[in-house]
Amino acid sequence: MARSSSGIVAGLTVAALAAVGFLAFQASANVPDTLGKPAASVSAEPSASKAAPRAKKDPAALPAASGSGVRVVYSTGADRVWLVGAGNKVKRTFGVTPGTVDPAVGTYAVTSRTGATPGSDGTQIEHVVRFTEVDSVSVGFSAAVSGSTEAPDPEKKVGGIRASRANGDAMWAFATVGAKVVVVK
């Protein structure tokens, strides 16, 4: 009798763990629509709504109209990210491969993070840092475990902004939930 009841307990434990894992995944994948969208007062900020001119001599220079404070700056026109620390000091800048869905120009906050998961294109990704949703597509930064930064299939709606693994590690360390993300042209 003890043998069969321990099998039942083990089975229930496995089922409970599976349910908790599924619910955690659902919670991270179903962030409310209003989280991460620019607030009316923030999106009206002139520095975030203009195209971001950069010095022609240095295309990696921080865009002048990218806001202030500690933040991640993402240029959809330059396909580049800047991790900006205190005193407007650029800690790191790097090129990225955008998804097929671009976020609107504005100021956002990191809404969720996932250590590792399959991407919407089926590629195994890590260090996912999400900051908005566009037409039911999550938009955020990530790195492919394989190190690939290939452009996604243009026929698919993909919100993943891919970086190298080293740059994905830097983003993961820098951009915790609530961190400011400024999107410029």
Side-chain angles (χ1 to χ4, degrees):
M1 185 77 170
R3 186 178 280 250
S4 66
S5 65
S6 62
I8 291 171
V9 171
L12 289 174
T13 302
V14 168
L17 289 172
V20 168
F22 176 76
L23 291 173
F25 172 78
Q26 289 285 52
S28 70
N30 294 311
V31 176
D33 290 340
T34 56
L35 271 177
K37 296 218 175 176
S41 63
V42 176
S43 64
E45 185 179 318
S47 64
S49 62
K50 295 179 187 174
R54 282 175 296 289
K56 291 186 192 266
K57 292 179 183 175
D58 186 4
L62 179 66
S66 65
S68 61
V70 176
R71 65 201 183 277
V72 173
V73 176
Y74 170 51
S75 170
T76 59
D79 296 330
R80 178 164 284 282
V81 169
W82 293 262
L83 305 181
V84 184
N88 219 34
K89 182 175 174 154
V90 175
K91 293 178 158 275
R92 188 179 191 115
T93 184
F94 49 92
V96 293
T97 302
T100 58
V101 176
D102 274 339
V105 168
T107 301
Y108 303 85
V110 172
T111 56
S112 68
R113 295 168 19 120
T114 302
T117 188
S120 56
D121 62 356
T123 302
Q124 188 63 28
I125 57 175
E126 65 183 0
H127 297 155
V128 181
V129 176
R130 295 176 202 85
F131 62 91
T132 193
E133 192 173 286
V134 176
D135 297 328
S136 300
V137 176
S138 290
V139 178
F141 306 102
S142 65
V145 172
S146 68
S148 170
T149 56
E150 288 182 34
D153 178 348
E155 299 297 315
K156 294 183 179 180
K157 285 188 168 187
V158 178
I161 302 161
R162 293 275 167 83
S164 69
R165 289 188 81 188
N167 290 327
D169 290 347
M171 176 67 75
W172 182 257
F174 187 84
T176 57
V177 172
K180 184 179 357 178
V181 178
V182 178
V183 177
V184 297
K185 281 280 187 209

